[in-house]
Amino acid sequence: MHKVGNLAGKKIGVLSLEGADRRFISIQLRRRGLHPTDSVKWVAIPADDMADALRAGELDAVAVHDPIGWGILQETQGISWNMLDSMTGAERERIDLTLGVGTKALAQDPGLAAALTAALQDAQHEFPAHRDELARLWQKDSDAPDDVKGMLDREIASHTVTGHPFRIQVEQYVDELKLIGVMPDADKTTDIAHRICLAI
């Protein structure tokens, strides 16, 4: 299978039926005119069982993120490949993680949010320069995936988004969640994003 449309009627393994991986694929399905729930069969399965299930034909695809995805690709070489990847195309500019700071912590240390943001911004510039060093350190871990360097080489540096650009990103997510029916269509996207950003 090389196209999202080929997933129609297929079994897709995910760690959680409520997880971000399933929602990522659901949005891709919906964009191509496929129903995000009814057009495929979602299967909740532990990460350790996914490679065997692919080899046995019990799954046709999996929706996971690294290092799990990278590990499965290594274990199933010859029968698996990346159909969709959030590291390519427009998806590579998307936020994967959001850091929130509690009001109690901010009251105790008013400069905490600015300090954390500055640290993340520094880290995004340091990652490419220290990729090899990170790979060497990670390889010492008994749980490290095979070919850590290969996995890190395909990763992109993080992109720290704050202020207005952050709200725009949240609006994009809201629109996509509406697309798959997770958020009510009647509510204005900008209003929802504004409320979420204020809460964060």
Side-chain angles (χ1 to χ4, degrees):
M1 293 182 291
H2 295 277
K3 297 180 180 178
V4 175
N6 299 146
L7 289 171
K10 303 298 184 183
K11 300 181 292 293
I12 304 177
V14 289
L15 296 177
S16 167
L17 295 178
E18 301 301 325
D21 295 320
R22 176 180 174 179
R23 288 185 175 156
F24 172 75
I25 299 300
S26 293
I27 289 164
Q28 307 308 316
L29 292 170
R30 185 68 181 83
R31 284 177 170 168
R32 289 156 177 87
L34 297 171
H35 194 282
T37 303
D38 301 338
S39 64
V40 300
K41 179 172 177 51
W42 297 101
V43 180
I45 181 172
D48 290 344
D49 297 336
M50 286 182 171
D52 287 341
L54 281 170
R55 282 191 287 260
E58 296 165 3
L59 292 176
D60 300 300
V62 294
V64 292
H65 49 275
D66 289 341
I68 296 169
W70 180 256
I72 291 170
L73 284 172
Q74 301 311 299
E75 287 184 58
T76 59
Q77 286 185 11
I79 67 167
S80 69
W81 54 88
N82 280 347
M83 175 187 291
L84 285 170
D85 195 327
S86 63
M87 292 293 128
T88 61
E91 297 297 333
R92 70 186 296 138
E93 301 299 332
R94 300 298 297 274
I95 298 171
D96 292 316
L97 300 174
T98 301
L99 175 65
V101 181
T103 52
K104 185 177 180 181
L106 286 177
Q108 293 173 344
D109 185 353
L112 180 60
L116 285 172
T117 301
L120 290 171
Q121 288 173 331
D122 285 345
Q124 77 182 8
H125 300 298
E126 292 297 319
F127 173 70
H130 297 283
R131 202 176 304 213
D132 292 349
E133 181 183 353
L134 178 58
R136 284 194 299 274
L137 289 172
W138 198 352
Q139 281 173 335
K140 296 177 182 178
D141 191 327
S142 59
D143 294 328
D146 291 338
D147 189 14
V148 170
K149 177 72 163 52
M151 188 189 82
L152 291 178
D153 281 345
R154 75 178 192 152
E155 301 285 342
I156 61 166
S158 60
H159 182 54
T160 305
V161 183
T162 60
H164 182 69
F166 176 68
R167 189 171 64 79
I168 298 300
Q169 289 273 358
V170 173
E171 286 181 8
Q172 291 175 354
Y173 279 127
V174 171
D175 279 337
E176 290 176 344
L177 292 174
K178 284 184 175 185
L179 195 65
I180 59 174
V182 175
M183 282 192 156
D185 230 359
D187 293 351
K188 288 185 178 179
T189 297
T190 52
D191 291 345
I192 295 172
H194 185 67
R195 289 198 304 271
I196 291 172
C197 291
L198 284 178
I200 291 172

